[in-house]
Amino acid sequence: MAILVTGGAGYIGSHTTVELLATGHEVIILDDFSNSSPKVLDRLKTITGKNIAFYEGSILNKPFLNKIFKENNIEAVIHFAAFKAVGESVKEPLKYYHNNIVGTISLLEVMAENKVKNIVFSSSATVYGVNNISPLTEDMPTSATNPYGYTKVMMEQILNDVAFADKEWSVTNLRYFNPIGAHESGLIGEAPNGVPNNIMPYITQVAVGKLQELSIFGDDYDTPDGTGVRDYIHVIDLAKGHVLALKDNLATTGSHVYNLGAGQGYSVLDLVKTFEKENNVTIPYTIKPRRAGDIATCYANSNKAKEVLGWTAQKTLADMVRDSWRWQSQNPNGYEE
Ligand code: WQD
């Protein structure tokens, strides 16, 4: 029985594939390379020593999806495939609603037609919106401030409604906080297209000389040092969380939701200073005005994942910044030559 990993050539999908294979699962990757590189597949073979079945295409293509299910014995799906740039989603909402929402509906319809009713979904802390106060718990109301965030809110709702209507379904929504870091080999890591939106790849590109300096978006927040506070989690811890969530998903039915966060907040300056200290590099920065849509503080209460899944984040902020730097310094241009 295999696990279909949609978006499996992406940052979190590729790290999750490593952990799935390490725990004895058979993996099939589906990816359209819209935000990832074919080179990831070679890197995964080097890391795991295994040839991983791969299909190139979109979750929007139902005949293509059906072919994958007909050709393989799939027991569950881990669904990462989605567009995820907040700013782009504001400029191109229909692109996001079509790809993320229609794509997920297309996947769920083909799963149902093939009697595969186990899915672990890549959601995000962004569904907590701007009105909930950290530490964030899974019972809090969800909302969004941009089309990307609304696609995550809506996809969670669609999955929950499917599980309510058909009691054979098992749905697990995983709300990621701020994933950073990379596999210890430095062979796979975060490789955003264009100028990074997220802070960690921006920092590593400054460190490697691709970008001049970091802009810190606001130092006048109501936080200890005035800069934004976030719950950074090592992508390997996140990947291990998926393995445990999958095990729980396969053993139950209904809909489940878990925060995957370290349960601790670090400021932008904490991150920059830790990066500089651990990697012996200097990150020049300038304080700029706040970024629209940002909130001051966001971190998880991750007790539920600990109690139900037996999962807690193990890696420290120092581990995260060292591993991010190893990936970037070994791959200054990401997966490009
Ligand atoms: C972190 C902190 C910024 C860039 C986003 C998405 C969320 C999830 C994770 C997908 C904030 C500050 C950032 C920069 C900065 N993505 N910052 N200079 O906004 O917490 O979450 O990514 O699921 O859905 O919303 O992450 O890394 O963009 O920002 O000062 O160049 O770093 O203000 O305080 P964020 P981020």
Side-chain angles (χ1 to χ4, degrees):
M1 300 283 277
I3 308 299
L4 175 62
V5 180
T6 75
Y11 174 44
I12 301 167
S14 56
H15 285 85
T16 300
T17 295
V18 170
E19 295 303 323
L20 285 169
L21 291 169
T23 46
H25 290 283
E26 182 191 345
V27 173
I28 299 164
I29 288 178
L30 159 61
D31 207 300
D32 64 3
F33 297 131
S34 57
N35 194 23
S36 57
S37 167
K39 285 203 178 59
V40 171
L41 302 174
D42 299 332
R43 301 291 177 90
L44 286 173
K45 180 166 170 38
T46 303
I47 292 169
T48 66
K50 295 177 181 170
N51 281 311
I52 301 160
F54 173 71
Y55 290 81
E56 181 176 355
S58 167
I59 53 176
L60 288 159
N61 182 341
K62 287 183 73 172
F64 164 70
L65 280 178
N66 204 40
K67 176 178 183 303
I68 299 174
F69 281 85
K70 289 288 184 283
E71 292 178 354
N72 298 279
N73 187 7
I74 293 167
E75 66 176 326
V77 174
I78 303 183
H79 180 32
F80 294 101
F83 295 151
K84 65 167 191 171
V86 171
E88 185 186 43
S89 79
V90 174
K91 297 190 189 92
E92 299 183 76
L94 289 180
K95 174 181 173 181
Y96 272 68
Y97 287 122
H98 184 71
N99 185 67
N100 292 4
I101 304 291
V102 178
T104 298
I105 291 171
S106 157
L107 173 65
L108 293 171
E109 288 174 336
V110 172
M111 288 177 68
E113 286 156 19
N114 289 277
K115 308 252 186 297
V116 178
K117 298 183 176 183
N118 290 78
I119 183 167
V120 175
F121 172 60
S122 164
S123 189
S124 166
T126 203
V127 304
Y128 288 112
V130 296
N131 299 315
N132 290 306
I133 307 298
S134 293
L136 300 167
T137 55
E138 291 87 348
D139 58 341
M140 289 178 172
T142 58
S143 66
T145 57
N146 56 74
Y148 159 74
Y150 274 115
T151 68
K152 293 295 186 183
V153 170
M154 291 178 198
M155 287 192 276
E156 284 196 6
Q157 188 60 54
I158 289 165
L159 290 165
N160 292 340
D161 289 344
V162 166
F164 183 79
D166 178 344
K167 302 304 182 194
E168 292 181 0
W169 277 83
S170 183
V171 157
T172 302
N173 291 314
L174 297 180
R175 293 172 180 172
Y176 312 155
F177 282 72
N178 288 65
I180 62 173
H183 188 264
E184 62 187 4
S185 65
L187 288 171
I188 54 175
E190 191 170 9
N193 292 334
V195 175
N197 296 302
N198 293 137
I199 187 145
M200 194 71 248
Y202 205 106
I203 287 174
T204 57
Q205 287 193 24
V206 169
V208 82
K210 284 192 76 173
L211 294 169
Q212 286 303 305
E213 67 167 16
L214 172 69
S215 299
I216 294 183
F217 298 139
D219 66 348
D220 57 350
Y221 285 102
D222 182 15
T223 62
D225 63 21
T227 64
V229 170
R230 296 292 182 276
D231 183 330
Y232 296 101
I233 173 171
H234 198 294
V235 67
I236 292 293
D237 279 327
L238 192 62
K240 292 179 187 292
H242 283 73
V243 174
L244 291 170
L246 175 65
K247 182 180 174 188
D248 175 75
N249 178 280
L250 289 167
T252 58
T253 57
S255 59
H256 316 279
V257 57
Y258 300 99
N259 286 338
L260 292 187
Q264 175 165 11
Y266 287 103
S267 75
V268 173
L269 283 173
D270 290 332
L271 187 65
V272 171
K273 299 302 175 203
T274 305
F275 187 93
E276 291 182 321
K277 174 175 176 287
E278 291 300 321
N279 297 312
N280 193 26
V281 296
T282 300
I283 301 294
Y285 65 82
T286 304
I287 302 294
K288 295 283 178 62
R290 295 181 180 188
R291 180 173 64 177
D294 276 355
I295 59 176
T297 298
C298 175
Y299 62 92
N301 174 321
S302 49
N303 290 340
K304 187 179 174 190
K306 180 178 181 181
E307 287 154 18
V308 179
L309 303 180
W311 176 87
T312 52
Q314 301 298 312
K315 291 181 180 282
T316 64
L317 192 67
D319 296 329
M320 296 179 215
V321 298
R322 274 198 304 271
D323 292 346
S324 284
W325 177 230
R326 186 183 306 108
W327 149 253
Q328 188 77 83
S329 56
Q330 288 180 187
N331 304 272
N333 295 311
Y335 293 108
E336 291 160 28
E337 283 303 318

